[in-house]
Amino acid sequence: MITNVKRYEDVAVGEELPELRIPLTRTMIVATAIASRDYQDVHHDPSLAVERGSKDVFMNILTTNGLVDRYVTGWAGPAAVVKAIRIRLGAPNYPGDTMVLTGTVTAKHDDRRVEIAVRGVNEIGPHVTGTVVVRLPGQGIDS
Amino acid sequence: MSDSAYEDRLQAWVGRELVTRRPGQDPVNVPMIRHWVEAMEDDNPVYLDEDAARATGRDGVVAPASMLQAWTMRGYAASVSPDAERTGSDELTDLLAEGGYTSVVATDSEFEFHRELVPGDHVSVEETLEAISPEKKTALGPGRFISTVKTYRDASGEIVATQRWRMLRFRPAAKPEPAPKAPRPRPAINHDNEFWFAAAREHRLVIQRCADCKSLRHPPGPCCPQCGSFGWDTVESAGEGHVYTYVVNHHPRHPAFDYPLVVAVIELTEGTRLIANMTGVEPGDVEIGMPVVLDWIDPDPDLSLPVFRPAVAEES
């Protein structure tokens, strides 16, 4: 059983995605780093992170990709196929902060690809800015 | 080496393959997908629910697109092992460290996905260096941006995705000086004890001696408790003794001290006792009777104080 299948025809350029607030706990930052098999100490060891010039452990970029993916496909529905995720990182995601993701549909292409501009902001500033491209199902078409 | 020679060595890497095609440790599989979607709190059903995935027109579950890079990560053992097979990427990391760029942060990732991955797909990655920027000033410290392209292929060699990847390799900016520690409480210096603190500033531990009966005494005082004489001089201690007794102070805390704080009564071989801190020993390892030797601390320019550390037995 699937719900929330967004079709290409349902989407308009300029449409805004509902905001998603993601609490950034220390456990989540470590759990996601390990789930992405990233064992760089700056993502789990606070004292080594400080030694390397950071104020604390911080989220790894693979997780930012995962969260941006979750945000857009959560809106686009399970039938959406992700064709591109292009991100730039800014302010680090530190434990205790909250990242607020927002998005806007910026383009629609004939092959049912839809581009969404995504931005994730924490208390310091923009953590991530980027674009996600998904291909949506059309009317009467499954995928 | 001159700056330009270093620059040449760096730029020689442009266009080179940093990682030759290397397969991921495991094929795409459901347990790792579950680990990922749980950590990401991604409840899209197409990653774990076969029926839901088929209802979207797929043949079965697929891996999250963003998870691609995870399939080719080296894994924990290789991440921490100094014996892991070295790649060009490791050599470039060393060369950058030689230039002081010891820290790293990823700044850009641009994935283009050619197809979705399904359980059983065995993905490999190869990585080529595109560019190394000149040194730039960044909020993290001076650094260089390293741009690469990663190409992901399935077992048949077909490209499943490409990823433009950019990292900043930087010299951590100097940390601000820590706030100065609170000054150590001042001793109450008077005419009777100033000689003792003056000697301490010269790292000499002295003991007051009666000029008449020659008995030693501490703490300093105007009058010999043995014979009542007001005449005195000093002798210099050899700086050896043992722990007569001690306490370990946990509370209340004064900001000038590190805790737990050992406060010991040291009996010197000359026979007098004095109160001092201990160094070079864990509080739990201090024992009554422990042989100790003199050391000195200089908490600030006006104050030097004796401390005692465990005497090390002569190695035979």
Side-chain angles (χ1 to χ4, degrees), chain A residues 2 5-9 79-80 110-112 135-143, chain B residues 54-58:
Chain A
I2 55 167
V5 172
K6 205 172 290 287
R7 294 185 184 280
Y8 179 74
E9 292 77 10
D110 290 343
D111 55 358
R112 288 186 281 114
R135 199 180 69 230
L136 296 181
Q139 292 290 358
I141 303 173
D142 283 335
S143 60
Chain B
R54 286 193 200 98
T56 63
R58 295 172 169 99

Side-chain angles (χ1 to χ4, degrees), chain A residues 37 69 78 85-86 88-89, chain B residues 25 58 66 107-108 112:
Chain A
R37 296 170 60 69
D69 185 349
I85 302 175
R86 308 176 193 126
R88 165 160 293 184
L89 295 192
Chain B
Q25 287 180 303
R58 295 172 169 99
S66 51
T107 61
D108 296 78
E112 306 294 327

Side-chain angles (χ1 to χ4, degrees), chain A residues 2 32 36-37 39 50 52 61-62 65-66 69-70 78 80-81 83-89 142-143, chain B residues 25 32 36 39-42 44 46 56 58 66 73 75-76 103 107-109 111-113 165-166 175:
Chain A
I2 55 167
T32 50
S36 56
R37 296 170 60 69
Y39 300 96
V50 168
R52 298 188 197 289
I61 190 169
L62 283 74
N65 269 323
D69 185 349
R70 164 191 159 193
V81 174
K83 301 305 293 178
I85 302 175
R86 308 176 193 126
I87 63 168
R88 165 160 293 184
L89 295 192
D142 283 335
S143 60
Chain B
Q25 287 180 303
M32 280 175 63
W36 173 279
M40 299 295 162
E41 294 188 69
D42 191 334
N44 188 334
V46 300
T56 63
R58 295 172 169 99
S66 51
M73 295 292 274
Y76 176 70
S103 294
T107 61
D108 296 78
S109 163
F111 273 123
E112 306 294 327
F113 302 102
W165 179 251
R166 208 156 72 116
K175 289 187 199 64

